[in-house]
Amino acid sequence: MTILEVNSLTKQFGGLTANKDITMTVEEGKITAVIGPNGAGKTTFFNMITGVYQPTSGDIKLDGKSIVGLKPDEVAKKGISRTFQNIRLFGEMSVIENVLVGMHTHLKTNLLGILLNLPFTKKEEASAEKEAYRLLEYFELDHLLNEKANNLSYGAQRKLEIARALATKPKLLLLDEPAAGMNPKETRELTEVIKRMGQEFNVTVILIEHDMKLVMEISEHIVVLDHGEKIAEGNPEEIRTNPKVIEAYLGSAAVH
């Protein structure tokens, strides 16, 4: 079943075309990777899906309904969450507070309920804290729940950002270079987490990643961008042997 459908998506900034006529589908429950050389337009593509940028033309459908024109918070409420190339945590807040922030999109508590300390509010807060702890346990961060996010190692911060994104209970999770800056041990651990995450949290994953070993190990479908255009798509083996992909990464000499 198709969860995301992208049709002829184009984004222009003045005279620069960052994405041109991209068409692809994402199947529910599968891990899809979007890869390509630096400057291929991958993050711009993610930014359009999440409402940060509006496309110049084309359409994006989630569960068959267009999400073009929605703001990022509205897209999040529809069920799309993401992480960023550059980690965006609340550094002075604790680990568990960062995860609780991610839950605000689906909590019913309002300011009045908090001020009056209503029973429903207390019950919902307790439930949210329990769910936050479960997420931290899953990412092996539960022993750090009261630590400031700034004090975590780089790899732990990456995992915390994914945990916070999952706290929004998304249908679709976009990971923008989740292994960037990680050492080999951290990357191996993250690979295993992403493999299991789809079933554990009933979420479909799309990732941008430069670590080809990680991409080939966990992806079921790969889309390749170059200079803002889709040049190939298929399973890992098809992509690994595709002459256009080899040329994009290694230059034309590599395919002759």
Side-chain angles (χ1 to χ4, degrees):
M1 181 178 168
T2 299
I3 186 169
L4 185 77
E5 189 179 344
V6 176
N7 293 309
S8 302
L9 205 63
T10 297
K11 179 62 181 177
Q12 295 174 322
F13 298 98
L16 173 70
T17 301
N19 286 145
K20 183 180 179 183
D21 201 29
I22 297 174
T23 295
M24 62 175 280
T25 57
V26 174
E27 295 302 307
E28 187 177 11
K30 289 192 174 181
I31 298 176
T32 299
V34 178
I35 67 171
N38 287 330
K42 303 182 295 294
T43 296
T44 299
F45 179 65
F46 264 26
N47 283 340
M48 284 192 283
I49 294 173
T50 53
V52 176
Y53 297 153
Q54 293 302 322
T56 305
S57 60
D59 198 13
I60 306 162
K61 291 180 179 177
L62 179 69
D63 289 333
K65 295 179 181 177
S66 179
I67 56 172
V68 169
L70 298 183
K71 295 174 183 175
D73 62 312
E74 294 170 326
V75 172
K77 285 176 182 173
K78 293 289 184 184
I80 298 179
S81 189
R82 72 174 293 180
T83 64
F84 294 84
Q85 276 179 306
N86 301 313
I87 296 170
R88 297 186 186 181
L89 295 171
F90 298 103
E92 292 301 311
M93 292 171 64
S94 71
V95 166
I96 195 164
E97 285 170 343
N98 267 275
V99 177
L100 288 168
V101 165
M103 293 181 172
H104 80 278
T105 55
H106 56 82
L107 294 180
K108 298 181 178 68
T109 299
N110 56 29
L111 182 59
L112 183 63
I114 294 168
L115 291 173
L116 297 177
N117 202 21
L118 297 175
F120 172 79
T121 301
K122 286 194 282 189
K123 186 179 178 182
E124 192 174 48
E125 283 177 351
S127 176
E129 286 181 9
K130 188 176 179 181
E131 176 64 18
Y133 185 82
R134 188 176 81 87
L135 279 164
L136 292 176
E137 203 173 29
Y138 181 81
F139 286 96
E140 298 181 346
L141 296 171
D142 48 305
H143 63 293
L144 298 166
L145 78 166
N146 293 316
E147 190 70 56
K148 281 186 180 180
N150 272 345
N151 296 339
L152 269 57
S153 69
Y154 192 85
Q157 288 187 16
R158 281 278 176 201
K159 290 197 287 185
L160 177 57
E161 193 178 33
I162 298 172
R164 186 180 64 184
L166 283 172
T168 68
K169 297 187 177 178
K171 302 174 187 175
L172 185 64
L173 177 62
L174 279 57
L175 304 176
D176 195 345
E177 295 193 34
M182 285 188 169
N183 62 41
K185 180 176 180 291
E186 290 169 334
T187 300
R188 282 195 302 273
E189 290 172 355
L190 180 71
T191 300
E192 291 306 313
V193 165
I194 296 173
K195 275 183 186 176
R196 302 193 314 265
M197 207 161 57
Q199 288 188 327
E200 293 268 353
F201 295 97
N202 193 28
V203 65
T204 300
V205 176
I206 311 176
L207 71 151
I208 292 171
E209 187 50 67
H210 285 290
D211 186 327
M212 285 301 105
K213 185 173 183 297
L214 186 154
V215 167
M216 294 298 172
E217 187 173 340
I218 68 173
S219 304
E220 295 159 272
H221 189 71
I222 301 173
V223 174
V224 189
L225 303 184
D226 189 30
H227 295 98
E229 298 185 53
K230 185 180 80 174
I231 61 167
E233 69 177 313
N235 63 43
E237 188 55 36
E238 290 168 335
I239 295 303
R240 188 183 283 115
T241 57
N242 187 300
K244 286 185 178 179
V245 177
I246 297 168
E247 182 176 344
Y249 274 97
L250 302 176
S252 56
V255 294
H256 296 303

